[in-house]
Amino acid sequence: MKDFEFHRPKTVAEAVALLKAREGAKLLSGGQSLLPVLKLELAEPTDLISLAALTELSDIRVDGGKVIIGAGVTHDRVARSPEVAKHIPALAELASHIGDAQVRNRGTLGGSVAHADPAADYPAALVALGATIATDRRTISADDFFTGLFETALQRDEIVTAVHFPVAKRAAYVKFAHRASKYAVVGVFVAETSAGIRVAVTGAGPMVFRVPAMESALASKFSPDAIAGVQVSPDDLNSDSEASAEYRAHLVGVMAKRAVQACA
Ligand SMILES: Cc1cc2nc3c(=O)[nH]c(=O)nc-3n(C[C@H](O)[C@H](O)[C@H](O)COP(=O)(O)OP(=O)(O)OC[C@H]3O[C@@H](n4cnc5c(N)ncnc54)[C@H](O)[C@@H]3O)c2cc1C
């Protein structure tokens, strides 16, 4: 690992000013994705800006039909939050199956969405629920936020401050987890909100995606049988030692049916 300067700002404004002033700086949240990248020297930041002292990123609250979760909230806190469990139990359930206890105790919602790992769990929840990502300067819909493999709409000096999740009428997330890391080989989040029914898939492709054919079938009849005939094409899906593209395409159907079945 290369040397870097370490900063621990007390406000988001201070952190943004540091990012603007130092071209080679990177934000550090839970470090669960960034530290492996640094150890492998896949990134060599000149400065690390810790978000640990930013208390303004650590709230969970319910307001106007939305559950608003600060970027600095750990996966463990989401999993154990009474507010999340009451209003979007599927989200608490999702967080409880991220990695292991150590990852959940350090890793944060903001770090996960900013990193945009194609096998991460949260992107499926954000897209299926129609969430909005708040940053230090604007709001971005989840549909516009994830733009590719480890790519988002964030600017280099922009900080995710919170995610606003609409409360779902019913929702469930089911994943076929990697045997070691628990990342999603395929994960499907099905949600019905006031905006309609959405089916979002993570792990299967280079980024989270929706399955419109399943969404319209479920709008006619909300039942696992309704989507039994919907085939997802393996073209453009990931293929690796864990699962071929064809197997992932099959898993999307199986996980989606289980998620519909599990919807509260
Ligand atoms: C063994 C292991 C197993 C895992 N299993 C899973 C799993 O099953 N499911 C899953 O979804 N994830 C899994 N993860 C990833 C984990 O959820 C990470 O915590 C998460 O991806 C990154 O969050 P972090 O807070 O650790 O971010 P960091 O590692 O600190 O940062 C990640 C990236 O996001 C940037 N960043 C951080 N915070 C912000 C912010 N507020 N605004 C803008 N940019 C920011 C950083 O600069 C960096 O580029 C696993 C990780 C490990 C090590």
Side-chain angles (χ1 to χ4, degrees), residues 33-249:
S33 295
L34 184 57
L35 291 187
V37 167
L38 298 188
K39 282 185 188 165
L40 293 168
E41 300 191 350
L42 295 172
E44 298 178 355
T46 54
D47 299 75
L48 279 191
I49 303 168
S50 168
L51 301 179
L54 304 187
T55 49
E56 56 198 297
L57 305 186
S58 65
D59 269 1
I60 300 179
R61 64 195 166 87
V62 181
D63 191 8
K66 302 236 164 94
V67 178
I68 302 166
I69 306 180
V73 174
T74 62
H75 311 324
D76 186 64
R77 276 190 62 211
V78 174
R80 291 171 190 272
S81 158
E83 292 95 337
V84 180
K86 180 173 173 198
H87 295 283
I88 318 179
L91 190 59
E93 177 73 9
L94 174 153
S96 76
H97 292 290
I98 292 177
D100 51 30
Q102 183 181 348
V103 170
R104 292 193 293 275
N105 272 304
R106 297 298 307 171
T108 64
L109 173 61
S112 180
V113 302
H115 193 58
D117 191 302
D121 296 299
Y122 277 125
L126 268 70
V127 170
L129 290 163
T132 304
I133 295 93
T135 77
D136 60 282
R137 65 199 65 168
R138 57 179 171 152
T139 55
I140 310 168
S141 77
D143 293 343
D144 297 332
F145 184 83
F146 299 103
T147 54
L149 185 71
F150 296 106
E151 300 265 342
T152 70
L154 288 173
Q155 289 161 10
R156 190 200 70 77
D157 58 359
E158 190 166 15
I159 297 182
V160 176
T161 53
V163 180
H164 297 230
F165 293 96
V167 169
K169 290 182 192 160
R170 51 186 165 182
Y173 177 65
V174 177
K175 78 170 156 177
F176 187 90
H178 185 280
R179 286 164 292 177
S181 69
K182 308 299 182 212
Y183 273 109
V185 174
V186 169
V188 180
F189 201 110
V190 174
E192 182 173 11
T193 65
S194 55
I197 294 170
R198 284 183 164 211
V199 177
V201 179
T202 190
M207 62 179 273
V208 59
F209 63 89
R210 287 170 63 189
V211 188
M214 286 186 181
E215 293 173 356
S216 47
L218 290 171
S220 303
K221 183 183 173 215
F222 197 88
S223 137
D225 303 346
I227 54 172
V230 178
Q231 303 284 329
V232 171
S233 166
D235 296 350
D236 303 326
L237 295 191
N238 301 331
S239 187
D240 54 29
S241 58
E242 208 54 31
S244 64
E246 288 73 19
Y247 187 42
R248 278 188 162 86

